[in-house]
Amino acid sequence: MADVFTPEKRSYVMSRIRGGNTKPELALRSMLHRMGYRFTVNGPKNRTLPGRPDVVLPKHRTVIFVHGCFWHGHEHCPDFRIPSTRTDWWINKIEGNRARDLRAENALRSLGWHVVTIWACALKNSKARLWLEPRLGKLLGQPATVR
């Protein structure tokens, strides 16, 4: 199937994909803050740690990555499927993202950080967030409420 956009329009559409402050990240940060966690988003540790984590909880020595289901290849997720065009390119791209994620996670663990990955589908809507919220404390290795 041919692309429905011209190359110029496709370039524009792809340039609008944000790298930070995405809706899932904002939803997670709101949830963490409500639960009493304090964290950094653009602090000095965020920029220097391997993989540039989305959220750093220095007090708990924990980092959180919010992975988009498509870009990071969330298996068995309805939001992830390999596109039917340029399949080989997309497989290489997503496998490369997964390999980079694994390298960053291993590097962080070797530095003594607790690493948590939260998929965008767990933050997609209010029903998904209601499922995640009571489990978040356990994922972070902390009691359900920090206050």
Side-chain angles (χ1 to χ4, degrees):
M1 178 177 166
D3 197 347
V4 296
F5 294 128
T6 65
E8 295 79 21
K9 177 70 173 180
R10 172 62 60 204
S11 179
Y12 173 77
V13 168
M14 295 302 283
S15 75
R16 300 292 108 199
I17 297 172
R18 299 185 329 183
N21 293 325
T22 62
K23 286 181 184 180
E25 287 177 24
L26 295 174
L28 174 68
R29 291 180 345 214
S30 176
M31 189 183 304
L32 287 169
H33 196 267
R34 247 190 343 270
M35 293 174 72
Y37 288 99
R38 297 303 174 250
F39 51 86
T40 63
V41 176
N42 293 316
K45 286 215 184 287
N46 297 60
R47 290 188 287 275
T48 59
L49 288 171
R52 297 187 64 196
D54 298 307
V55 176
V56 176
L57 294 98
K59 177 181 174 184
H60 303 289
R61 202 132 170 89
T62 299
V63 298
I64 303 174
F65 290 100
V66 179
H67 285 340
C69 297
F70 174 75
W71 295 105
H72 296 268
H74 189 196
E75 292 183 19
H76 311 296
C77 176
D79 295 335
F80 171 67
R81 68 174 179 74
I82 300 289
S84 57
T85 58
R86 300 180 65 205
T87 304
D88 292 338
W89 187 88
W90 281 109
I91 289 171
N92 288 334
K93 169 71 175 162
I94 291 166
E95 286 303 320
N97 289 349
R98 286 177 173 168
R100 185 190 64 230
D101 296 339
L102 186 59
R103 284 192 307 272
E105 189 173 323
N106 289 337
L108 285 161
R109 288 182 203 270
S110 71
L111 293 170
W113 288 88
H114 176 65
V115 180
V116 176
T117 300
I118 297 182
W119 292 97
C121 60
L123 298 160
K124 187 175 188 174
N125 54 42
S126 58
K127 184 178 176 182
R129 289 190 293 274
L130 282 173
W131 177 89
L132 176 64
E133 192 162 1
R135 294 162 175 80
L136 196 53
K138 189 172 182 176
L139 282 172
L140 299 175
Q142 302 298 319
T145 16
V146 174
R147 298 173 207 227

